């Protein structure tokens, strides 16, 4: 419920992507947003007002002369109450109209009468998007402070492939969340690690661990939403990187070490969330080991570099944050790690509370003491961690 209490006017304009706006209403509602839908006449040719009314649980406005508003001022009343107007899909025609300040239907009038920010998700055919007239309109809107999200490239309804496809509803919700998140790390460069590592024994076998990467990816997402430029050095995980985050995929601890050390000196903040293997296989085999070839040779282990400790020891080191996943004695082990690795902040959790799942119980350890956070979904804890980091680095 990350949008609890936010009032969003969702403007739907005429385009085939209008059907995706139905899913968008549902997803925004799921996050706790209060969604009021307003449609252009064109949009009602693609999806009916009934669909949006059923999904939002509210009457939909599609007519400038709607008499349901007692003072006949729907455009003023609806846009005055909103925290955000989101236009998705935004057609080429609608962008042209609002770029020029036209108020020739209810939605365009609401946009012109608004006092809140405006987010638009364009959706149109490739040639329409690339047409100099659209380019001009989009540039004008950006200059006026309108935030343009997308469009994405891909297969279009007309059969062509290229830029112009509306962002997917999930991606639009991410942009809305990022839009509302306080920008406590604005302009900060953050390098971080997440996920497990994989230490090869031979080309198909290896030593790894049960880290899912969920906590790290939630931290990357929260940091990006807080305005940081995020580079995520990630071990093998099963999901896509958060929107707007640069992911550097790696496999072994040595790969992760190299990828981090190449970037850490330029970073303002480094967060080590990855469950890095303490040891790698010294005698890993080039070819698959066969049991009929004299049996399995003993696995020799050699210690991996400690990435977090090395980054913390850099001259001009970034602000370093470590994680401690323990099966017992959390406070003692976490505090030891903080001292040994010389980092100002460690986020600790018990493996049984968080490894692999969606929720976690985090305790923050810093110079000021011990700060237990209320158990919550990883997305919420990640945001609290980012706020704590911003506070310690003096940005709050
Ligand atoms: O003591 P331990 O190695 O478990 O400490 C965990 C913390 O150190 C995590 O932040 C982890 O990402 C980091 N770490 C590291 N390189 C290693 C081992 C752990 O960066 N080789």
């Amino acid at each position: 419920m990350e949008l609890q209490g936010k009032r969003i006017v969702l403007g739907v304009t005429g385009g085939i992507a209008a059907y995706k706006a139905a899913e968008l209403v549902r997803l925004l509602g799921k996050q706790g947003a209060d969604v009021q839908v307003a449609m252009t006449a064109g949009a009602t040719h693609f999806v009916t007002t009934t669909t949006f009314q059923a999904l939002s649980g509210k009457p939909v406005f599609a007519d400038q002369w709607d008499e349901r508003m007692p003072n006949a001022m729907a455009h003023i009343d609806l846009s005055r109450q909103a925290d955000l107007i989101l236009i998705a899909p935004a057609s080429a025609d609608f962008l042209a109209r609002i770029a020029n300040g036209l108020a020739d239907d209810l939605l365009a009038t609401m946009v012109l009468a608004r006092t809140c920010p405006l987010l638009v998700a364009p959706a149109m055919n490739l040639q329409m998007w690339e047409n100099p007239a659209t380019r001009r309109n989009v540039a004008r809107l950006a200059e006026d402070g309108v935030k343009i999200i997308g469009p994405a490239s891909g297969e279009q309804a007309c059969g062509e492939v290229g830029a112009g496809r509306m962002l997917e509803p999930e991606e639009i919700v991410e942009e809305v969340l990022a839009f509302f998140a306080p920008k406590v790390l604005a302009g900060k460069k953050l390098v971080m690690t997440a996920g497990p590592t994989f230490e090869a024994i031979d080309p198909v076998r290896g030593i790894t661990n049960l880290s899912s990467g969920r906590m790290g990816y939630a931290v990357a997402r929260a940091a990006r939403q807080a305005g940081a430029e995020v580079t995520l050095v990630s071990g093998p995980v099963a999901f896509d990187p958060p929107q707007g985050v640069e992911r550097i995929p790696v496999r072994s601890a040595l790969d992760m070490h190299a990828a981090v050390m190449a970037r850490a000196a330029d970073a303002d903040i480094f967060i080590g969330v990855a469950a890095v293997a303490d040891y790698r296989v010294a005698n890993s085999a080039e070819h698959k080991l066969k049991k009929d070839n004299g049996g399995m040779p003993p696995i020799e282990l050699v210690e991996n570099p400690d990435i977090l400790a090395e980054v913390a020891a850099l001259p001009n080191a970034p602000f370093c944050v470590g994680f401690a996943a323990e099966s017992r004695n959390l406070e003692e082990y976490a505090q030891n790690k903080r001292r040994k690795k010389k980092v100002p902040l460690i986020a600790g959790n018990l493996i049984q509370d968080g490894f692999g799942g969606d929720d976690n119980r985090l305790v923050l350890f810093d110079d000021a003491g011990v700060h237990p956070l209320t158990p919550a979904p990883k997305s919420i804890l990640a945001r609290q961690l980012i706020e704590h980091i911003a506070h310690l680095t003096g940005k709050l």
Side-chain angles (χ1 to χ4, degrees), residues 193 272-278 304-309 321-324 326 337 341:
T193 65
V273 196
V276 186
D278 291 325
N304 275 323
D306 189 313
I307 304 169
L308 177 60
V321 183
F323 265 70
E326 302 295 346
K337 255 172 235 204
K341 302 189 187 222

Side-chain angles (χ1 to χ4, degrees), residues 4-23:
Q4 190 72 47
K6 298 287 184 220
R7 292 201 238 197
I8 299 176
V9 167
L10 173 63
V12 183
T13 74
I16 185 62
Y19 82 93
K20 291 190 181 177
E23 176 67 357

Side-chain angles (χ1 to χ4, degrees), residues 198-200 207 252-254 277-284 299-305:
F198 182 91
E199 308 300 324
I207 301 172
S252 67
L254 278 187
D278 291 325
Y279 297 93
R280 67 178 175 278
V281 180
N283 56 337
S284 67
I299 294 174
E300 288 163 33
L301 295 176
V302 45
E303 198 165 347
N304 275 323

